[in-house]
Amino acid sequence: MDKDPGVIRAELDQTRERVGDEVDAISYKTDVGARASDYVDDKKEAVKSKVSGAKDTVTGVVPDRRAVRRGATRMRETAAGNPLGLAVGGLAVGFLVGTLLPRTRVENEQMGEMSDRLVDAAKESTSEAVGRGKQVAQEAVGAAVDTAKESGREQGEELTSALQDRTQEQSPGAA
C-alpha cells in the first residue's frame, strides 16, 4: 500500500484543483449581485444581436436610391416606347383585381344575372385581348428577326464587296 510520493503529490494537486473549482462555483452561486449582473449582460447581448439581425434584414430588403431611380427610368422609357401596351396591361391588371375582389350583397341584389353575364363577357374579351397581344408580340419578334437577318445579309454582301475591291487593288501592285 505504499505509494510513491510523486503519485501522492499529483493526486493532492488534482484534488486541490478540483476543490478550488468547486469553491469558486459555490462562491459564484452565493454572490447574487454578480449573477444578476451576468444575467443582465447576457440579456443585453441577446437583444443587441436580435436588433442587429433585424436591421440587417431590413437593410437588405430595401433597395437603394439608385436602384429605385433606375427602375423608375426603365418604367418611364417602357411607357414612352409602348403606351398602348402599357394601357392594355393596366386594363388587364385592373380587371383581374376587380374579378378577384368579392362581390358585395348590393351588387348581387342590383346586378344579379346581368353581373354574371358581364363578367363572363369581360373574361372572354380579356382572353381574346391577351391572345391578340401574344400574336402581335410574336409577329413583332418575327419581323425583328427577319429585319436583323436581312440587315446581316446586306452587311455581309457589302463587306465581301469591299474585301474584293481591296484585294483587286492590292493585286496589281503586287504583280
Side-chain angles (χ1 to χ4, degrees):
M1 278 224 231
D2 290 328
K3 285 190 176 180
D4 182 28
V7 172
I8 293 172
R9 281 190 195 108
E11 288 177 355
L12 282 173
D13 288 340
Q14 289 175 350
T15 303
R16 281 187 191 129
E17 190 175 323
R18 193 172 57 244
V19 169
D21 291 344
E22 290 175 5
V23 168
D24 289 343
I26 291 171
S27 295
Y28 179 75
K29 285 184 179 182
T30 58
D31 189 359
V32 176
R35 286 182 27 212
S37 177
D38 289 347
Y39 177 79
V40 169
D41 288 343
D42 289 346
K43 292 303 175 185
K44 280 196 310 190
E45 286 302 316
V47 168
K48 284 181 183 177
S49 175
K50 286 184 181 181
V51 168
S52 176
K55 177 186 163 217
D56 293 343
T57 300
V58 168
T59 304
V61 171
V62 177
D64 64 346
R65 289 181 181 175
R66 278 186 254 138
V68 171
R69 285 186 185 141
R70 281 193 305 263
T73 302
R74 201 172 319 138
M75 179 92 78
R76 226 178 290 122
E77 290 171 354
T78 301
N82 190 3
L84 183 60
L86 184 64
V88 170
L91 287 171
V93 168
F95 173 74
L96 287 174
V97 169
T99 58
L100 293 175
L101 293 174
R103 293 185 189 162
T104 64
R105 182 184 55 81
V106 173
E107 280 180 312
N108 285 335
E109 288 175 2
Q110 298 294 322
M111 298 293 286
E113 189 178 316
M114 175 66 106
S115 172
D116 293 338
R117 282 188 276 165
L118 286 174
V119 168
D120 290 342
K123 285 181 182 178
E124 208 173 283
S125 297
T126 302
S127 176
E128 185 178 331
V130 168
R132 287 186 181 180
K134 285 181 181 178
Q135 183 180 0
V136 168
Q138 288 174 345
E139 288 174 2
V141 168
V145 168
D146 291 344
T147 302
K149 285 180 182 177
E150 180 65 24
S151 176
R153 187 184 57 74
E154 289 173 1
Q155 295 293 328
E157 288 175 358
E158 289 176 12
L159 183 60
T160 302
S161 175
L163 287 173
Q164 287 175 348
D165 290 346
R166 286 187 186 155
T167 303
Q168 289 174 355
E169 288 172 4
Q170 295 297 324
S171 293

